[in-house]
Amino acid sequence: MEIRADAYVTRVLTSAKGDRATGVEYYDKAKQRQEQLADVVVLSAFSASNPRILFNSKTDKHPEGLANSSGLVGRYVTAHITFSAFGLFEENTENHMGTSGPLACRRTAT
């Protein structure tokens, strides 16, 4: 694996048959179009960007966009806003125990 900072993926490349992802097209920091071939392609560009990439990956084999034969790409998408808080403590807080969910709960007076 290689991480390329300032790379903006625009579409997934597929084989001539359209049955296999073969890489991605992206624009680098200098805004030059690049292609990166790959044995495995994983989209992990957030819930709004993954549909954009799949729609941009239209071909004659995938006229509605890649993986969109059902017409559901981009529908029923939801994103969750979350927050994080960090702190340093002198004592061991056993932060590997339990979940962080209760930390986000708002307590009201009874």
Side-chain angles (χ1 to χ4, degrees):
M1 181 178 91
E2 178 181 331
I3 296 175
R4 296 185 188 172
D6 301 311
Y8 189 79
V9 173
T10 53
R11 66 187 182 107
V12 176
L13 305 173
T14 57
S15 65
K17 289 183 185 178
D19 62 346
R20 182 164 167 68
T22 59
V24 295
E25 172 189 272
Y26 71 95
Y27 285 81
D28 62 17
K29 188 174 185 175
K31 298 182 180 170
Q32 298 297 310
R33 183 183 168 279
Q34 306 288 339
E35 287 186 0
Q36 177 60 58
L37 300 180
D39 293 329
V40 175
V41 175
V42 177
L43 288 183
S44 58
F46 190 62
S47 58
S49 293
N50 283 340
R52 173 189 56 82
I53 293 167
L54 294 171
F55 287 135
N56 285 344
S57 302
K58 287 181 184 179
T59 64
D60 59 333
K61 306 287 185 198
H62 303 282
E64 302 301 317
L66 191 59
N68 194 30
S69 61
S70 66
L72 294 177
V73 167
R75 295 184 191 268
Y76 311 112
V77 173
T78 186
H80 299 280
I81 296 172
T82 185
F83 69 92
S84 296
F86 299 92
L88 298 174
F89 300 91
E90 289 186 21
E91 69 276 3
N92 182 357
T93 59
E94 308 256 354
N95 61 345
H96 63 282
M97 303 285 286
T99 65
S100 60
L103 299 177
C105 292
R106 181 175 167 191
R107 295 182 190 258
T108 56
T110 57

